[in-house]
Amino acid sequence: MNIQYKKIKNDIYGNPRYVVHFTELLTQNEFDSFTGLDKINQAYNLAIKKAKKIGGSKYRGKDFGGVIVFQSYNTIDLAKRIQELAIN
């Protein structure tokens, strides 16, 4: 599994930040388990809940939609933590 992330502007303290699309944190079964008109919102909320376990949070900027932001100096470790989270 190859995690796709994008570098965004640093936070106000100069720490590097990266955004990841919420589907990177969900398994296909988790995503498919939701039905109805609110499927995307339910899946997004589950991804946010999972991301908070490893320091992620909802991206509130206007540049991207459906992404989760992480603060990290080590993108390799970030990708591993996201992969482990997606599996569990």
Side-chain angles (χ1 to χ4, degrees), residues 2-45:
N2 189 15
I3 303 296
Q4 299 293 317
Y5 54 86
K6 179 149 178 68
K7 173 92 169 85
I8 60 173
K9 289 199 299 185
N10 294 358
D11 67 10
I12 60 173
Y13 302 108
N15 298 314
R17 297 185 313 156
Y18 297 89
V19 291
V20 176
H21 195 267
F22 79 94
T23 56
E24 298 277 359
L25 284 90
L26 301 175
T27 64
Q28 189 63 43
N29 288 338
E30 286 175 328
F31 189 78
D32 291 340
S33 69
F34 299 110
T35 59
L37 298 174
D38 203 29
K39 176 179 181 169
I40 300 298
N41 285 335
Q42 291 172 343
Y44 183 65
N45 289 333

Side-chain angles (χ1 to χ4, degrees), residues 38-67:
D38 203 29
K39 176 179 181 169
I40 300 298
N41 285 335
Q42 291 172 343
Y44 183 65
N45 289 333
L46 175 61
I48 293 291
K49 186 176 180 180
K50 290 175 76 172
K52 286 184 178 187
K53 294 178 183 177
I54 59 171
S57 63
K58 184 185 288 188
Y59 180 71
R60 290 177 171 79
K62 294 181 177 152
D63 300 330
F64 303 98
V67 296

